[in-house]
Structures are given as C-alpha cells and as structure tokens.
Amino acid sequence: MIVKNIEKKEHNLVNFTVEIDPKEFDSAVNRAYLKNKKSIYVPGFRKGKAPRMVVEGYYGADVFYEDALESLYPLAYELAVNEDKFKPVGRPTVADVNIGDDKTVTITFESAEYPEVTLGQYRGLEAVKTVQPVTDDEINADIDRMRERNARMITVDRPAENGDIAVIDYEGFDDGKPFEGGKGEDHQLTLGSGSFIPGFEEQVVGMSAGEEKEINVTFPEQYHAKDLAGKPVVFKVKVKEVQVKELPELDDEFAKDVSTEFDTLDQLRADVRARLEKGREDAAENLFRENLLQKAIDNMQVDIPDAMVEEKVDQMVEDYSNNMRQYGMTLEQYAGMMGLDMNGFRSTITPSAKHQVQMELLFNKIYETENIEVPDSEIEDEYKKLAEQYDMEADKVREIIPADTIKRELGVLKAADIVYTTGVPVPEEKAEDKAEEKAEDKAEDKE
C-alpha cells in the first residue's frame, strides 16, 4: 500500500488516496472467498466445495470484491494515519474506489483533520467578579428550612384547613369503574400544595377524621394518561387523620438539636452565614472562570470541523446512556420524557459539545505553546489516586493508561490554570464601561 495525493480542503477536510497493488488485492479477495465459501452453491459441486475460479466464473469476477474492499478500508486508513501525514478526527468516509484493469486498487478517503489553532490573549484577561452579600433574611430563611425538616406532626381534632396534612384513603372511578393508578391508602396530602388534580384538595378542606365523601373532579386536557385526559371522574375519599406541623422553638436548644457542634443559636446563625458566604464566593468564582474561558475562546482563531463536534456528541450520548442504565431506563426513554426523539436530544446537547471541543482545543494549544512541564512525582501521585479510586493496583493502572496520557492530562489542567489564575477580576461598572467603549469603537470603525 502507498499513500499518495493528500489534498487539503476547506473546513479542515482532507482527501487522500491509498494505492493497493494487485497482489495485495488478490490476497484480500482470496480471504473473502475463504470466508464465504461454506455458504456458496455452484451446480455440479457440493455446497462450499467449489474452487474460487469456478465461483468467480459462475457468479462474476467481482463477486468477492465488496468483502475484499471492506477488509482493506481500515488497513489503508490506518496506514495513512501512521505515516503522520495528518491528524484525523471523527470517522472517515470512502469518497471513491477505482479498480484498474491490472487490478490495482485506488481508494480515496475523506476525513476531518485536527484543526490549526491560533491563540489570542489568554493571560491577564478581565472579567466581572461580584460576590453578593448574604442578608439576614436569607439566613432566617435557611434556618426556617431547618425548622421545617425538624418539625413534628401533631394530630388535631378539627376539620382540615389549608396547610394541614390530611391522611386519606382514596379510589377513583371513571363511569363507575375503578381506573388504574387511581387508588391510594394512608396517603399524606398537604392541602393547598397543588399536588393532586385541580379541585381535589379544595374539597378535602373542611373534612374531619373519620369522614367519607365523594369528590367530583375533571382531569386536565393535557393529562399524561390519554384515556383520562379531560374526563370527569369521582373519587371516594376517607379522611383518617388531620395533622398539623409543629415547628421547634427557635432557641439554643434548637441549635443543639440540629447539630452537635453548636451550643447557642448565635453560633448556628454564624455558621449559616459562613456557609452561605462560601457558596456565594464559589458561585462568583465559577462565573468569573466561565467568563475568562469564554473570552479566551473568543480570542482564538480555529475552524472546527463538524466531525469533531459530532464525535463529542457521540461521547456525551454514551455517557448519558450509561447514567440512565444506573436508573433502570434507556436514553430513548429519558429523551421521550423530555418530549424528544434521539435526533432532538442530540440537537439539545450539540452546543455543549461544541463548547467542550473549543475548551479542549484552547487548553491543548496553551499546553503546547507554554511548553508546560509535568514532574514525574505528579504523574506518580496521579497513578496512586486512580488506583485508589478504582480499587486497583498501581501497576495495573499503568498497564491501562500510558504515562504520556497522564502527563498530557495534567499538563492541560495546568494550561487551564494559566487562564484562571492570571485573570483579573473587575467590578461590574468597569466591565460595562469597557463594553460601551468597545461598541463605540466598532461603530467608529464601521463609519
């Protein structure tokens, strides 16, 4: 096999031709014959016993060509890649096949090529970083949620009111017949929550423990069960108990109950404030980094081939599929719950896939440009972490993951740190002023 005629095209596409000599092609044809001979019948011969020349004479000289070429495609493509003529991404396509009179085969492939990346500014970028202060109201709201989680239910002897919890048995009937999914026992219904069909909870209000009642409601037109959508039904309901939620007193005893760390309510409030402030700081830092990353991406120049994005979408689909299997469902079922088919699902994740590709191209180029070094000690530490994470011997991890792969991954992380650690946080007002200046400059350039 010989690689020849490599032609660079627009959008990082490459056409290249691999020439296969007649002897190699004939060997591939013979392998195809041997693979298929058991199922071939030729009059005058037992099934699978006809010689190749007889089979070709009966069915045509090209009877094994398709199988032979299918076996040669990956070999030819691998040859071109191994010769380092270009760096492919995605799956190649066969653009043309020609078999000459002398049985010389010429295969033309089309493939996407890893794009050239020209970096813009990525050090010292400015981005807004605003940490919103934590208010007393937010602290109170957080503590109120703690009280809700630690509330206890008290049974009351009175008609149910909005906000109460009614413990009910119920069964639904459509034209006098019970319908599937319409029955429940000892169900704790929070009145006013809107968790049941519209009109149901309002009719439970005023009922007392031991009381039974028929409730008339109509299912919404958009109800998921099509046989019930828009239908009037009757629920037979029995209230077994009416409960109210009793919140704990907000005092030092409450602080001791919800945590072993605090003796006073003031200590608990201080901890809540610190936790909320840490969350605000982390959120502001994450947004700051996202903005720095987007600016660095906007500053670089690269023509990303569609195949590269599609390959990333394929990876994301596989990851989603694996995650869904852990929950006992398929990705198709998950997409259906969102009202999408698989093509629609792929479309929704394509922007995220493109962003990931941009990010990888950026950090890989910075890694190469900065000549980032990764000490052997860091590589060893990473092997130990992976061995512990997957409960494997470190030597086994080394057999699976080459050191060069670990080195590059760690180097790319260091490249990302350059963007993030050299970024300059600016107040929102300054960022707005700069945006206005930039818009004015563009307008002047246009004039």
Side-chain angles (χ1 to χ4, degrees):
M1 291 188 191
I2 303 172
V3 181
K4 52 196 300 187
N5 300 333
I6 294 180
E7 178 189 357
K8 305 269 186 173
K9 301 172 71 178
E10 290 183 342
H11 305 303
N12 290 296
L13 291 176
V14 177
N15 272 16
F16 61 95
T17 301
V18 178
E19 188 175 271
I20 301 169
D21 63 58
K23 187 175 180 181
E24 191 168 2
F25 179 56
D26 186 68
S27 295
V29 172
N30 198 55
R31 289 195 298 273
Y33 159 71
L34 295 173
K35 173 186 170 185
N36 294 288
K37 63 180 288 189
K38 290 181 181 178
S39 61
I40 296 174
Y41 172 75
V42 176
F45 293 86
R46 282 183 296 155
K47 188 176 182 179
K49 296 299 182 181
R52 172 183 157 188
M53 290 181 62
V54 173
V55 175
E56 290 176 336
Y58 187 77
Y59 288 101
D62 59 353
V63 63
F64 298 116
Y65 282 10
E66 185 175 347
D67 275 358
L69 290 169
E70 286 292 336
S71 69
L72 290 170
Y73 291 152
L75 297 173
Y77 184 72
E78 185 179 355
L79 172 69
V81 172
N82 288 341
E83 286 193 4
D84 292 329
K85 303 274 185 188
F86 68 99
K87 188 176 178 181
V89 292
R91 292 184 290 270
T93 58
V94 177
D96 186 50
V97 179
N98 182 58
I99 302 175
D101 293 338
D102 63 346
K103 298 299 184 287
T104 297
V105 179
T106 306
I107 306 173
T108 302
F109 293 94
E110 182 175 84
S111 176
E113 184 179 23
Y114 193 89
E116 286 292 326
V117 178
T118 303
L119 292 172
Q121 182 186 353
Y122 58 88
R123 283 179 172 271
L125 294 168
E126 293 184 349
V128 172
K129 184 176 179 181
T130 305
V131 182
Q132 296 294 335
V134 174
T135 67
D136 288 341
D137 287 343
E138 289 168 330
I139 294 171
N140 292 336
D142 196 276
I143 291 176
D144 284 343
R145 286 190 286 272
M146 291 185 193
R147 294 178 72 198
E148 289 282 344
R149 291 195 295 271
N150 287 274
R152 63 188 186 121
M153 305 310 299
I154 305 295
T155 299
V156 293
D157 185 15
R158 60 164 173 77
E161 300 173 358
N162 262 330
D164 291 348
I165 294 174
V167 181
I168 62 172
D169 291 345
Y170 64 89
E171 186 171 14
F173 295 86
D174 175 18
D175 289 333
K177 296 179 182 178
F179 55 83
E180 186 178 354
K183 186 176 182 178
E185 293 182 352
D186 295 325
H187 180 82
Q188 294 185 330
L189 173 62
T190 301
L191 300 178
S193 65
S195 57
F196 262 47
I197 303 163
F200 185 98
E201 294 170 27
E202 291 84 345
Q203 297 181 62
V204 176
V205 170
M207 293 179 68
S208 300
E211 187 176 345
E212 297 184 23
K213 183 178 182 180
E214 289 190 355
I215 290 177
N216 293 280
V217 291
T218 301
F219 277 98
E221 293 289 345
Q222 304 303 319
Y223 192 66
H224 62 86
K226 299 301 181 187
D227 56 333
L228 292 172
K231 273 195 171 185
V233 295
V234 176
F235 280 93
K236 291 182 179 179
V237 178
K238 178 180 180 180
V239 174
K240 302 174 79 172
E241 197 174 354
V242 177
Q243 299 176 340
V244 294
K245 191 180 290 184
E246 185 180 79
L247 299 177
E249 289 294 328
L250 196 55
D251 54 21
D252 291 346
E253 289 303 315
F254 170 72
K256 293 175 185 177
D257 288 341
V258 297
S259 173
T260 58
E261 303 173 41
F262 312 115
D263 293 322
T264 67
L265 182 60
D266 287 342
Q267 290 174 339
L268 176 62
R269 291 181 66 86
D271 180 73
V272 170
R273 179 181 290 278
R275 176 166 50 80
L276 294 178
E277 287 177 344
K278 176 68 166 56
R280 290 283 168 84
E281 175 63 36
D282 290 346
E285 177 65 19
N286 289 337
L287 183 58
F288 173 64
R289 288 181 168 224
E290 287 174 17
N291 289 335
L292 291 174
L293 172 60
Q294 191 57 55
K295 285 192 173 187
I297 287 173
D298 292 342
N299 289 341
M300 78 173 176
Q301 296 178 13
V302 60
D303 186 5
I304 300 174
D306 292 340
M308 205 166 186
V309 178
E310 283 300 306
E311 189 174 46
K312 180 62 68 175
V313 171
D314 290 342
Q315 291 175 13
M316 292 174 68
V317 165
E318 183 62 27
D319 289 342
Y320 272 110
S321 295
N322 292 335
N323 287 335
M324 289 304 104
R325 277 196 287 270
Q326 294 179 17
Y327 295 101
M329 70 169 67
T330 65
L331 183 56
E332 288 78 5
Q333 290 170 327
Y334 175 70
M337 291 167 60
M338 300 167 63
L340 300 169
D341 58 13
M342 283 308 297
N343 287 333
F345 181 78
R346 289 178 69 90
S347 295
T348 63
I349 64 174
T350 295
S352 176
K354 183 176 181 181
H355 183 71
Q356 288 189 38
V357 170
Q358 291 172 323
M359 185 170 61
E360 291 170 6
L361 289 170
L362 172 74
F363 292 152
N364 274 291
K365 188 64 176 180
I366 293 174
Y367 168 70
E368 294 167 4
T369 302
E370 296 274 347
N371 294 315
I372 293 172
E373 294 293 330
V374 179
D376 291 342
S377 59
E378 292 185 18
I379 296 174
E380 284 303 308
D381 288 344
E382 187 64 18
Y383 273 126
K384 289 176 185 175
K385 286 180 188 175
L386 291 171
E388 186 176 334
Q389 180 181 346
Y390 295 107
D391 194 22
M392 297 172 63
E393 295 292 331
D395 289 341
K396 288 289 184 184
V397 179
R398 288 188 185 88
E399 291 175 12
I400 298 170
I401 309 176
D404 285 347
T405 300
I406 298 287
K407 180 179 180 180
R408 187 168 191 91
E409 288 178 354
L410 294 175
V412 167
L413 290 175
K414 291 176 181 287
D417 280 341
I418 291 175
V419 176
Y420 300 140
T421 58
T422 65
V424 180
V426 296
E428 197 163 350
E429 301 77 28
K430 185 177 178 183
E432 289 173 356
D433 291 342
K434 288 206 167 191
E436 289 177 6
E437 289 175 13
K438 195 170 183 180
E440 288 172 2
D441 291 343
K442 281 187 177 180
E444 288 176 5
D445 291 344
K446 192 173 182 180
E447 289 174 7

